[in-house]
Amino acid sequence: MTASTLAAPQIGAFRADAWAGLVFSGAPGRGFAVRFSVERNGERADGADMLHLVHEVGPHAPDGSYARMSFDTSLPFGKGDDTPITSKRSRAAGLVLEWGRIGERTAVLRALVSYAGVLELHGYFPWDWRGVWRWEGDLLTARGLDEEDAFVAWYCLASSHSSTENTKVGAPPDHASVRLQVVPGDALYLCGALGEDPGTAERLILRPCDTGQVDHILATAAEAYEARRVTTTGRWDGLAASITNNVHWTVLLQPESGALYTPAGRRWIFPRHATERDHWTVFAWDSFFNALELGVESPELARSTVEAVLATQYENGNIPNWRGRFGGTPDRSQPPVGSFAVLKLFLRTRDRSLLEYAFPYLARWSEWWSAPKGTRAGGAEGAKRRRRDGNGNGLFEWGSDGALLADNPPPWEVAADGRQRAAWESGQDDLPNWDEAEWDGDAETLTVESVDINALLALDYECLAAIAGELGDRANQAKYHSQYQRLARLVNETLWNDERGIYIDRHWDGRFSPRLAASSFLPLVAGIPDHSRANRMLETLLDETRFWGPYVIPTISRTDPNFGEQQYWRGSIWPPINYLIYQGLRRYGFHTAATQLASRSVDLFLGTWRKYQLCRENYDSRTGEGAGHRYQSWGPLFALLGVEEFVDVTPWDGVRVGSSHPPGSSTLERIRVMGREWTITLAPDGLHVSIDDGLQLSATAALVLRQIELLADGLTAEAVVPEATNITVRLNGGLLSAEIDGAHHYMTEQGVELTAGRWKVRFY
C-alpha cells in the first residue's frame, strides 16, 4: 500500500466497466458493488456497453460528495465503437444517475428514467472479492467472507404509472438483481451503507421510502460542489469543468490495496488472460500527465495517482510502459516525464512530503536508462554496454530488454519483435520515424538517436536536480545538474541540424533522418537550445506548410509522405506533445506563440466536448475531428493549456499569471496555488487578479507576470508588457505603492504606467 492511500472506506464508480454503478469498499481487498443495466425493445446494454451511450459526463466532486452521469438510451445497444456519435443538443438523456456520499460509509443514488423498458439493478462482487448476497424484503444485503464486512442497500421505485412490475432475479449468493419495468418519469432511489452488521447498516440509511429526503441531499450536495469547484466563465466557459469532470470520472480503485489511480481510460484495462480483464492497468507517462490534470482541483487525487504509478516500478528501477496486477512490461519503459510532473505539483502545492516520497523512485528510474547491461549473448563488451545507449556515445535510443520479457503478454504483444517494443517504449507507437530505424539485436535498441528520448532525459536530470535542491541534497543536485549539462551538450553537438534549423533524429552511421516530427521541438521544454537556435525552431513551428495551421500540432510535418494517413501518431494531434511544446514555448518567452497554441488546443478540445461530450484520444490535423478512444484520460491536457494561460507554476517561470494575447474575455475562479485561492480574468484589454479576496491587481492591457512572490504586504514579479498599461494594486481595499526597476512610484486611482518591455516590479 502506498504512503498516502486515501483511507478506507471507499465509495465511487471505481470499476472500469461500470460507469453506471458504485463500488463500496470497507477496507482494501474487501467490498461490494452495484451497477445498472438497461433494456429497450429487446436490446440490452450492460457494463462497458454503457460507455458508448454516455450523454453527459457530469460534475464529479473529488471527494465523492456529488456526481452525475447520464446516458442516451435512444442509441442502438451493443454496437461498441460503431455506436453513432451524435450531437448532445440534438438528443435527450434516457437515464440520469446522480449519487453522493453521506459521511464515510453511506451513499445515496437516484436514477431518473426517460425511456420505456427495463432498468435492472445488480448487486455483485467485483474483481476477486467474495461474499454472500441475499434479499431481506426490499433490502438487498451482502456479507463479505470477513465477518466484519456487511452491506445493506435499500431501493425504492417512485413510479408514474400504477402497474409497476418488479422481479427479483439473479443467483444469490454470488449475485442478486431486481428488474424494474419503467416508463418515462420513473425514478429509482437507492441507498447503500457499509456497516459492521446489517442492523447497524440499516440504521444508517433512509427508511421508509423518503424520496424527498434523497432529492434534498443530492440537490444540496450539487449546490455545495458548484460553490467550491474550480470554474471558468466567458469565452472559455466550462474549460475547468472539462478537465475535472473527465479526469475525476476516470479515477479507479486498485482492489487489493485500496489505492486510487487513473488508467489511460476506462477501456484501457488489459487482459489477464483470454476471458478476463486484469484488475487494473497503469500506464507510465499517461499517469504523470493525469496527475497534472487532477492537480487542478484535487492535490490528494494527484498524489494518489503519482504514488500508484511509482508503485509499478520493478526492482531494477524500471517504471514500465504499463503494469497491471497480473502483467506488465519489465522489458521496457515509457517517456521519462515523472520528475517534471512531480516537480510541477510540488511547486504549486509546496507539499515537501511528495518530493520525499517520490525522489527515490524517480532517481532509480533515471539510473535505469543508463545502467550497465549485458548483451543477450553475454561477453565482456556486453557487460560494459549501457541499457539505452547501444553504441556507447552518451546519447540514448529507445529499446527493449529481451531477457526480461513478460511470461504472460497480452495477445497483441506475443509476436511483437524488439523494434516494435522499442517503438511502444517511445510512447509514439507508430511514428513514421521508426519505420526507417533499424534494430540492433545485440544492443537491443533502435539504431537511431532520437530527439525525444534525449530531450526528455535531459529534462528529467534537470528536474531531479531541482528536487534534490529542494530536499537539501547537494550531492545529488550537483550530480544531476552535471548529467543535464553533459546530455544537453551532446544533443546540441550531435542532433542539431544547422541547415534545417532544428534538432533531427540521427542514425548511428551519422545520417540525419529525412523526416521531421513534432518531437523535434521537445528540446525547448528541456532548455537545450540557445535563443538563436530556439528562434529558428520557432520559425519552423510557425510554418503552415509544415506544422502550424488552424489545427495544431501534427505529430509529423505536413510535408511527410505519411501525413495523409492521420492514423495514431502518423499526423494526428496528441495532447502530450502539445502540452510539452507549450511548456517549451513559455520557457523561452515565446508568449504569443504559446497563447496561440493554447487557444487552438482549447478550441479543438472544447469543440468536441461541448458538442458531443467526448474526450478524444487524438485529433485529425486537417479537419480537427476527434479520433481514437472516446474517453482518454489525458485528453483534457488540451484544456489544461488554457488553464495554464491563467496561472501556472514551473521551475523556470516560478508562479506565472496572464497571457500576452488572450483570445477573448474569460475568468478562472477558485483555483488554489501556493496555498492561496486565485481568481483571474484574462481579456484583450486587461488582466485582473484576486488572491484570497484580499490582494487585487488590475491592468488596462494584457500582460504576463512571472516569478511572482507573495509578500505579507503585497507582491513582487517580473512584468512582461506587450504594450503600455496602467496597473492598480490594492490590499484589503487600500492602494499600494509601487517600485519599478528599483524606482519608487506612488499609486493613484489610475494606477502606475508600465511601458512596453520587461520590468521588475514590487507592490507594497
Side-chain angles (χ1 to χ4, degrees), residues 354-389:
L354 172 63
L355 298 187
E356 293 171 339
Y357 181 84
F359 182 71
Y361 291 92
L362 296 170
R364 288 194 297 270
W365 189 22
S366 177
E367 293 162 4
W368 175 85
W369 295 93
S370 58
K373 170 183 175 294
T375 64
R376 298 186 72 177
E381 289 302 313
K384 299 177 183 178
R385 194 182 302 278
R386 301 285 177 175
R387 172 168 278 107
R388 294 295 185 260
D389 179 12

Side-chain angles (χ1 to χ4, degrees), residues 716-739:
T716 65
E718 176 186 300
V720 182
V721 185
E723 59 181 79
T725 183
N726 280 12
I727 297 182
T728 306
V729 184
R730 289 180 168 84
L731 180 61
N732 299 324
L735 286 170
L736 299 183
S737 294
E739 191 177 276

Side-chain angles (χ1 to χ4, degrees), residues 428 431 433 500-504 514-521 536-560 563 569 571-573 577-578 581 597 600 621-622:
Q428 300 186 83
L431 190 74
N433 294 42
R500 296 165 69 181
I502 199 165
Y503 296 89
I504 302 289
R515 297 184 182 273
L516 185 58
S519 50
S520 285
F521 299 104
R536 294 189 66 188
M537 295 170 70
L538 182 64
E539 291 176 6
T540 300
L541 178 66
L542 299 182
D543 182 350
E544 294 199 5
T545 66
R546 289 185 280 185
F547 288 99
W548 211 240
Y551 308 114
V552 291
I553 298 170
T555 51
I556 55 177
S557 171
R558 299 180 190 276
T559 61
D560 191 289
F563 177 77
W569 294 86
S572 300
I573 303 169
I577 296 298
N578 277 24
I581 293 175
L597 175 56
R600 295 179 193 194
S621 58
R622 302 163 303 182

